[in-house]
């Protein structure tokens, strides 16, 4: 994911869990593929909305991946996990060799 999940859901970083949930539900209703059968991008938007919500409510789930990818370096606002992704494999000190 490249975009900031707070921007995807349209909430501030200081939003409460209830505000995040409300914004998620609103975006889901607007973009759900079943409610937009003639929109080929609806599924992609819904996936982005689902991941944004998951990243906000379960940050620990993405923390290791974000550290490995080096995300956060140069990200706007220092938001971890919303920069470019890398594989995280083959780093120095891996214990092999």
């Amino acid at each position: 994911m490249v975009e900031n999940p707070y921007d995807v859901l349209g909430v501030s970083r200081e939003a409460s869990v209830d505000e995040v949930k409300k914004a998620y539900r609103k975006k889901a209703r607007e973009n759900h593929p079943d409610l937009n059968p003639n929109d080929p991008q609806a599924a992609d938007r819904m996936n982005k909305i689902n991941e944004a919500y998951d990243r906000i409510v379960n940050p620990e789930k993405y923390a290791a991946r974000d550290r490995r990818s080096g995300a956060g370096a140069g990200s706007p606002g220092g938001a971890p996990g919303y920069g470019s992704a890398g594989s995280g494999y083959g780093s120095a000190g891996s214990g092999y060799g």
Side-chain angles (χ1 to χ4, degrees):
M1 175 175 216
V2 176
E3 294 182 55
N4 182 315
Y6 295 94
D7 291 342
V8 171
L9 295 181
V11 296
S12 73
R13 290 180 126 337
E14 292 79 29
S16 69
V17 174
D18 287 336
E19 290 170 321
V20 171
K21 189 180 295 188
K22 184 178 178 181
Y24 166 75
R25 288 180 176 164
K26 180 180 178 191
K27 291 278 187 178
R29 280 191 308 270
E30 293 171 355
N31 295 285
H32 198 283
D34 291 347
L35 301 176
N36 296 285
N38 298 323
D39 185 351
Q41 274 77 45
D44 290 336
R45 286 194 312 270
M46 194 66 217
N47 288 336
K48 188 187 305 186
I49 291 164
N50 285 334
E51 185 177 348
Y53 178 74
D54 197 34
R55 281 185 172 270
I56 292 172
V57 299
N58 298 310
E60 64 282 350
K61 178 178 173 181
Y62 297 91
R65 181 190 321 165
D66 293 343
R67 280 192 305 272
R68 282 194 310 266
S69 70
S75 296
Y82 316 113
S84 61
S87 69
Y89 297 106
S91 62
S94 63
Y96 296 104

